Amino acid sequence: MQTVSLFVDVQNVYYTTRSAFQRNFDYNAFWAKATAGRTVKHAYAYAIDRGDEKQRQFQNILRAIGFEVKLKPFIQRSDGSAKGDWDVGITIDMMTCAADSDVMVLVSGDGDFGLLVETLRTRHDCQVEVFGVETLTAVSLIHASSQYFPISSDLLL
């Protein structure tokens, strides 16, 4: 049986599904689709922690599905800008998990991951599937993937 590792850029999928569809991502439907007939080796959901109760409830739902939730504090800079992305953390985890996973699944439309996906495919001989909102996913990321799955109504609440 194939082994699979899941990596979900929670902020990216939240904002892209809200922008494109005015709906939320269905993590249960995604889990079912991405893991069907596969053994899950790793499953990470990367989120920003703003410390509110609604977020804690959402994070507990993710844990109940099977994700390990990785949190980074939300940082508000004095100039009004904000910081809080997981690009480096996702990259490190995907590179680390490549050795024991047949398939890597990334949920993000962020073009910064194009080089990572290409490297995983060519240097680590991994199959890399990408799920993202088609109109908001970088073309470079789509082309770098082994297989691209556009997020549509079957993966939305």
Side-chain angles (χ1 to χ4, degrees), residues 60-80:
N60 287 334
I61 290 168
L62 292 176
R63 289 182 186 98
I65 292 169
F67 289 99
E68 177 181 330
V69 177
K70 293 194 172 194
L71 298 172
K72 186 179 276 193
F74 176 77
I75 299 169
Q76 184 75 42
R77 295 183 181 127
S78 59
D79 68 358

Side-chain angles (χ1 to χ4, degrees), residues 14 18 24 48-62:
Y14 173 80
R18 297 292 294 170
N24 290 318
I48 304 306
D49 186 11
R50 293 178 187 243
D52 67 60
E53 184 57 33
K54 192 172 181 181
Q55 268 196 329
R56 277 193 213 78
Q57 291 171 0
F58 169 68
Q59 293 157 5
N60 287 334
I61 290 168
L62 292 176

Side-chain angles (χ1 to χ4, degrees), residues 4 42 44 62 76 79 81 98 107 126 134 145 148-149 151 155:
V4 64
H42 311 276
Y44 302 113
L62 292 176
Q76 184 75 42
D79 68 358
S81 64
V107 180
C126 282
E134 193 165 22
S145 67
Y148 174 71
F149 296 94
I151 293 172
L155 294 175

